[in-house]
Each structure stands twice: as structure tokens, then as C-alpha cells.
Amino acid sequence: MLVGKVVGSVISTRKSENLIGSKFMIVDVLDQMQTVGKQLVAIDKIGAGIGEYVLVAQGSAARIGCDMENAPIDAAIVGIIDDGTGLE
């Protein structure tokens, strides 16, 4: 699981049928959490907003975490961090 900050959103009018109705956010992964790349696009089923710190699950955990096991999802916002003391 990664910690990041939501910095934007992505709008896609043409997408997989399993993703219709989903919101996509751009997450800036914190430096100490990086594995590959600094930003990623994550599906958001919990209503995170720009500027909030979030928990991001990747891979099969992302699909399971947002109850979309049959959707082509690689990253999902699964939590909004209330207190990010010491994150940056």
C-alpha cells in the first residue's frame, strides 16, 4: 500500500464497460513510498478530493478493495488520511 497526495483528476469518456461511472484521480506518491514513478492514476470510489492525502492499493488488492474484481484496475484509493503528521 502506498501513501500519496491527490493532485488532479482524469476524465475519460471512452473506457472499459466495467469502469463506467468511476472517478479517476492523479496521485502524487510520496518520495519515501516510491517504487516506480512519481505519479499514478487511481480509481476513486470513496470521494477523495484534490489536496487530500490518501491510501492507495495496487494490483489485485485494488480490485478487491473497491469491489470491482472483474474491472481492469491497477490502483485504487482505499482510504483518506485524516492526520498526515510526519508524512512530508
Side-chain angles (χ1 to χ4, degrees):
M1 191 171 312
L2 301 173
V3 174
K5 185 175 185 178
V6 178
V7 295
S9 62
V10 175
I11 297 172
S12 173
T13 55
R14 297 182 68 187
K15 56 187 159 269
S16 170
E17 193 173 289
N18 293 340
L19 298 175
I20 293 174
S22 298
K23 182 171 109 177
F24 301 97
M25 303 302 279
I26 301 168
V27 178
D28 194 5
V29 179
L30 297 185
D31 289 338
Q32 60 269 36
M33 295 280 187
Q34 285 185 41
T35 52
V36 176
K38 184 170 172 95
Q39 291 185 329
L40 52 84
V41 175
I43 195 166
D44 178 23
K45 291 291 204 175
I46 61 171
I50 294 174
E52 291 187 294
Y53 287 96
V54 294
L55 297 172
V56 179
Q58 292 186 297
S60 61
R63 291 187 295 280
I64 293 167
C66 61
D67 292 326
M68 298 178 72
E69 289 86 3
N70 296 320
I73 297 170
D74 185 51
I77 296 173
V78 295
I80 298 172
I81 297 173
D82 296 322
D83 183 7
T85 305
L87 289 176
E88 288 194 66

